[in-house]
Amino acid sequence: IEHLFNLPRAALPSRFGADLLLRLDQALGQAIETIDPIRPVPPPTVQRVFDGPTTQLEAIQITVHQLIEQLQTLLQQRESGALRLDLHLSRIDATPVHLSVALSRPSRDPRHLWSLLQPAVEKVDLGYGIEQIDLTATSSGPLPHEQAAVWAEVEASDTQNLSRRCGQML
C-alpha cells in the first residue's frame, strides 16, 4: 500500500482500475462503505386454529397430516428439507404440548415426516381439548428438486411395452 501512495493518484485508475481508489479511500475512512446485512429468514411455519377445542384424536391426526403437506409446499419453494420439526399443540386446560423430531438428513416427504410424528401425536394427552396446532421446520437443509417418480414409472412401462412388441414381432 505504501508504494501505491508514492505513485501519482491520477495514474492509479489507468494502471489498476477505478475500484482501487475507492478501496483505498474506504480503508482510510475517507469514503463510506455500505454493508448490506444478511437478514435471517424465519423458519417455515404452518398453523391451524380450530373453531372450538377438540378432543378427537382422529381430527388431530388429520390436521397434523394436512399441516405436514402445507409445510412440504413451503419447503419445496425454498428448495430445502426439514432437519427438525417442532409441533406445538395448544390445550385449553393445561400448558401447551411441544413435540420435536430431529432428522439426520433433510426431508420434505409428507409420508416420511408423518411416520416420525405419528407415534408422538398418538401419545399426546389432549386434556379438555386442543384449540391450535403449529408446525415449524425449525432447522432445515438444502434439498434440491428431484425428477418425479412418475417419469421413471412411465419410462419403465414404455420399455416393457417395447420389449413385448419386439417379442411379438419375432
Side-chain angles (χ1 to χ4, degrees):
I1 293 177
E2 180 182 349
H3 297 291
L4 290 175
F5 285 126
N6 291 334
L7 296 173
R9 187 172 171 90
L12 292 176
S14 62
R15 292 179 67 185
F16 302 106
D19 287 341
L20 179 67
L21 291 179
L22 174 65
R23 294 297 179 193
L24 284 174
D25 291 341
Q26 288 173 341
L28 296 173
Q30 298 171 351
I32 297 174
E33 182 175 2
T34 58
I35 298 173
D36 293 329
I38 298 174
R39 291 179 172 55
V41 178
T45 302
V46 289
Q47 178 183 69
R48 178 76 45 91
V49 179
F50 296 110
D51 289 336
T54 183
T55 57
Q56 296 179 356
L57 180 60
E58 186 178 352
I60 303 297
Q61 290 175 332
I62 291 170
T63 302
V64 170
H65 199 1
Q66 291 172 350
L67 291 175
I68 289 172
E69 290 175 359
Q70 292 174 8
L71 186 66
Q72 183 258 346
T73 303
L74 294 176
L75 290 169
Q76 189 172 8
Q77 290 171 354
R78 295 183 181 193
E79 290 192 19
S80 63
L83 286 170
R84 180 183 171 103
L85 288 176
D86 286 339
L87 184 66
H88 179 87
L89 303 166
S90 297
R91 298 184 292 186
I92 61 167
D93 65 332
T95 59
V97 176
H98 298 282
L99 304 172
S100 293
V101 175
L103 290 84
S104 60
R105 60 179 189 207
S107 175
R108 64 175 172 246
D109 179 29
R111 286 182 291 167
H112 178 234
L113 298 177
W114 172 243
S115 70
L116 297 173
L117 281 173
Q118 182 180 9
V121 170
E122 288 176 351
K123 294 178 185 176
V124 168
D125 176 20
L126 302 178
Y128 288 110
I130 303 291
E131 59 185 355
Q132 179 176 330
I133 301 175
D134 300 304
L135 180 62
T136 304
T138 52
S139 179
S140 61
L143 188 64
H145 293 295
E146 296 177 355
Q147 184 67 39
V150 174
W151 294 111
E153 293 170 5
V154 169
E155 289 175 4
S157 66
D158 286 347
T159 304
Q160 291 173 356
N161 290 337
L162 183 62
S163 63
R164 285 185 204 140
R165 288 182 195 155
C166 291
Q168 290 173 354
M169 290 180 179
L170 296 174

